[in-house]
Amino acid sequence: MDMISARELEHIKKYPNAKVISLGIGDTTEPLPDVVASSMANYAQRLSTPKGYRGYGEEQGSKELRKAIAERFYKDMGIKGTELLFGSNMSVAVQDPIFPAYIDSSVIIGQTGDVEKESGSYQNIEYMKCGPQNSFFPDLSRTARTDIIFFCSPNNPTGHAASWDQLEQLVKFAHKNGSIIVYDSAYAVYITDDGRPRSIYEIPGANKVAIEVSSFSKIAGFTGVRLGWTVVPEGLLYSNGFPVINDFNRIVCTCFNGASRIAQAGGLASLSSEGFKAVLSLVDYYKENAEILLETFDSLGLRAYGGVNAPYLWVHFPGSNSWDVFNEILEKTHIITVPGSGFGPAGKEFIRVTAFGHRENIVEASKRLRSLFSKTNEQ
Amino acid sequence: MDMISARELEHIKKYPNAKVISLGIGDTTEPLPDVVASSMANYAQRLSTPKGYRGYGEEQGSKELRKAIAERFYKDMGIKGTELLFGSNMSVAVQDPIFPAYIDSSVIIGQTGDVEKESGSYQNIEYMKCGPQNSFFPDLSRTARTDIIFFCSPNNPTGHAASWDQLEQLVKFAHKNGSIIVYDSAYAVYITDDGRPRSIYEIPGANKVAIEVSSFSKIAGFTGVRLGWTVVPEGLLYSNGFPVINDFNRIVCTCFNGASRIAQAGGLASLSSEGFKAVLSLVDYYKENAEILLETFDSLGLRAYGGVNAPYLWVHFPGSNSWDVFNEILEKTHIITVPGSGFGPAGKEFIRVTAFGHRENIVEASKRLRSLFSKTNEQ
């Protein structure tokens, strides 16, 4: 992202009067539902009264909120929530392309070995290539066994929501290998195709092999409020039979003192009937943005993946280099995107386009893209 | 703390009508200043408006708040702020006794070796004994060199605020050994004795050897709001000459997406002139509590340390076992304290008493303690 910001600054200097539109960083843009904002405002205001003041909360989060999450997102799957961290000496597999935080955090805790200069790959990471050629799901028969498998669905950046069949394969693979899946479902609420699971726990047996991490960021526009959760099922055991949740709970209680009570009040309000209805209509708004962008690329004969069950589009420019495409789009349309190579070696012919944005910017971006690529096509 | 909670539950079962007072966990009890709560409430409410909505903030925290902290707490020391995390393969020294989170987090990242059954000490941790015998400051001539030295002043649990001379010795020691001091100044605002530094950076040369961590929890009653900061001076270098702040910044930007914007709005308000005046009067309130408790123990002929430049009292019961003292006080006065042995081997003859509490509870606790120990003394 640093390189993109640098390019953006350079561009603004070169074209000081250009109206730059960012379809780059996946950041929410629309206001919070009033019921959610009011709930946090009231909670904050009451902290100035003797009756309303509260100090430390439960490290794992309030019982009420944990219950609300379990009921809203894990109904009939029998699940509770805490938060995420990992220890040492583990091998790691990731999708390629993938949001870089999984790899970067593995690098920081020293689990990745050296980077190979040419490919930009880390030696000790198993890259699971996902692209149009394999329906964005890795060939598990050629995937090495690892302790941890990071898996994000709907995927950032490809926008692919894994099918029931794909996730069943993944869970079987983890069972066979004694691996733990860390399943990132931060965009699950964008799934409208009922044939695709919203939680890994919809797959039988997943509660013995998977941790699920999620967040209010993209559900309820909490990118600036900050609130997330992790599900560690009691049935998830180490090879010695010891439950993972005990260690996880210890880490949470030692390293955190709980999430902000104000943010939790907002999270709770966003899961109430009124709040969740408002939240879903925001999700619809971003999904309509995605549709506008999908139609744009379609009409230009460009192949865009994702954007249906996810707020991201993954646009293919066969034979091109993603930084060249990024630069051309920026130079000629003043639109920021993200070059796919930033998400891993498999992203080198793609750019990621986000559907988070005000409608007028999305419509304007669509107009500029049509103008650019219809010209390009005519050449 | 789990054992204390268990004992509390047991006690409530045994005495269902007792009015239990907790002088155990160090949690703030008084309402936030209105200017602080209103600021957070307004920020939260404005998130529901198109103009007021904000997504991701700067990973390192808002420029405005970082500037306000630098001006309020590090004037003329030339300092900026971020957040804390550590990597692998480091040796660690801690004060004994000390708040257990330093040791527990070192255990979790696998840096401590095995625990010795009898003493409860970890093999690879250098325990720096601090007690009345050495003015609560370790004999550095007998302290082994380590990569990291955790140092908390004013100290939790002893309430000792290190003197200028003591911190000068510590900084020299770190320079000589190439160690990094992680200096926890969470209670610095409780220091009223001007002969004692409020920041490690008051000591010349500290900016080459020390990271300082702090928090709004005990300054502004943010235990439930959650907001803290870390100072990593640009002059702090690894032995290869590479600045620590670059790595630290990378960790913050990779593993966090910034602190809650609402909490930051509250932090900023608590550092405004009006806010900080209100905050200091809360600090005074807790300090008066500490004075009441100090007088109580004094008048009973019990030696209590701390409580002057800190919200904690560290009460000595020579020859006793801290759990026995804890149990006796609970049994006979229905007051929860913390047995000193929970803070390390050097705490075994002490209990920690917190000054955080409503005034009427502190006064009532004082009365009960007087009644218990004047009887004990008569025997």
Side-chain angles (χ1 to χ4, degrees), chain A residues 69-70 72-79 199 201 212 229 231:
Chain A
I69 291 176
R72 181 65 73 184
F73 299 116
Y74 303 103
K75 215 173 161 129
D76 307 322
M77 305 180 219
I79 288 295
S199 163
Y201 302 116
E212 185 164 310
W229 73 85
V231 181

Side-chain angles (χ1 to χ4, degrees), chain A residues 27-28 32 47 53 55 221 224 261, chain B residues 28 32 47 53 56 221 223-224 261:
Chain A
D27 190 7
T28 46
L32 297 187
L47 290 176
Y53 183 74
R261 285 176 174 277
Chain B
T28 46
L32 297 187
L47 290 176
Y53 183 74
Y56 290 120
T223 49
R261 285 176 174 276

Side-chain angles (χ1 to χ4, degrees), chain A residues 99-117:
Chain A
F99 184 59
Y102 307 111
I103 294 175
D104 292 350
S105 56
S106 302
V107 171
I108 283 172
I109 61 174
Q111 306 299 319
T112 56
D114 291 332
V115 66
E116 284 164 20
K117 283 252 166 73

Side-chain angles (χ1 to χ4, degrees), chain A residues 26-32 34 37-38 41 44-45 47-48 50 53 55-56 104 218 221 223-226 254 257-258 260-261, chain B residues 26-32 34 37-38 41 44-45 47-48 50 53 55-56 104 218 221 223-226 254 257-258 260-261:
Chain A
D27 190 7
T28 46
T29 57
E30 300 312 300
L32 297 187
D34 183 64
S38 299
Q45 191 62 63
L47 290 176
S48 70
Y53 183 74
Y56 289 120
D104 292 350
K218 306 301 166 70
T223 49
V225 174
R226 317 300 310 142
T254 305
N257 275 306
S260 172
R261 285 176 174 277
Chain B
D27 191 6
T28 46
T29 57
E30 301 311 300
L32 297 187
D34 183 62
S38 299
Q45 191 62 62
L47 290 176
S48 69
Y53 183 74
Y56 290 120
D104 292 348
K218 306 301 166 71
T223 49
V225 173
R226 318 300 311 142
T254 305
N257 275 307
S260 171
R261 285 176 174 276

Side-chain angles (χ1 to χ4, degrees), chain B residues 121-322:
Chain B
S121 313
Y122 287 90
Q123 280 169 356
N124 298 351
I125 286 188
E126 175 73 12
Y127 290 84
M128 305 184 292
K129 286 228 174 302
C130 297
Q133 75 285 356
N134 58 10
S135 304
F136 292 95
F137 190 78
D139 181 350
L140 294 176
S141 70
R142 290 153 169 255
T143 302
R145 189 237 164 243
T146 56
D147 297 319
I148 303 288
I149 303 168
F150 286 110
F151 200 91
C152 175
S153 173
N155 185 274
N156 176 6
T158 69
H160 177 72
S163 68
W164 188 282
D165 174 63
Q166 290 176 336
L167 290 184
E168 233 175 5
Q169 285 181 49
L170 185 69
V171 167
K172 267 191 201 145
F173 182 71
H175 268 282
K176 197 184 77 189
N177 288 332
S179 306
I180 292 178
I181 300 166
V182 177
Y183 188 79
D184 180 347
S185 65
Y187 299 96
V189 80
Y190 290 82
I191 297 178
T192 38
D193 174 353
D194 280 333
R196 290 168 203 272
R198 291 190 182 82
S199 163
I200 188 75
Y201 302 116
E202 295 185 43
I203 309 300
N207 66 334
K208 302 237 191 282
V209 292
I211 287 172
E212 185 164 309
V213 298
S214 196
S215 149
F216 283 93
S217 286
K218 306 301 166 71
I219 294 176
F222 271 30
T223 49
V225 173
R226 318 300 311 142
L227 190 64
W229 74 86
T230 302
V231 181
V232 184
E234 285 171 5
L236 180 66
L237 309 175
Y238 293 114
S239 52
N240 65 2
F242 194 81
V244 173
I245 192 171
N246 294 8
D247 274 10
F248 198 89
N249 191 56
R250 185 179 168 202
I251 290 169
V252 168
C253 293
T254 305
C255 301
F256 303 101
N257 275 307
S260 171
R261 285 176 174 276
I262 300 171
Q264 291 191 71
L268 193 60
S270 70
L271 298 183
S272 66
S273 330
E274 186 190 348
F276 202 62
K277 216 175 125 189
V279 156
L280 287 183
S281 89
L282 273 181
V283 167
D284 280 344
Y285 179 92
Y286 294 127
K287 279 173 71 87
E288 283 161 27
N289 284 349
E291 213 178 309
I292 293 169
L293 291 166
L294 263 181
E295 275 172 20
T296 306
F297 289 111
D298 258 11
S299 72
L300 293 165
L302 290 165
R303 188 71 179 93
Y305 299 90
V308 177
N309 294 298
Y312 296 117
L313 282 74
W314 186 238
V315 192
H316 198 182
F317 294 83
S320 298
N321 171 301
S322 65

Side-chain angles (χ1 to χ4, degrees), chain A residues 251-277:
Chain A
I251 290 170
V252 169
C253 294
T254 305
C255 301
F256 304 100
N257 275 306
S260 172
R261 285 176 174 277
I262 300 171
Q264 290 191 71
L268 193 60
S270 70
L271 298 183
S272 66
S273 330
E274 186 190 348
F276 202 62
K277 217 176 126 189

Side-chain angles (χ1 to χ4, degrees), chain A residues 154 161 187-198 280 283-284 287 291 307-310:
Chain A
Y187 299 96
V189 80
Y190 289 81
I191 297 178
T192 38
D193 174 352
D194 280 334
R196 291 169 201 271
R198 291 189 183 81
L280 287 184
V283 167
D284 281 342
K287 280 173 70 89
E291 214 178 309
V308 177
N309 295 299

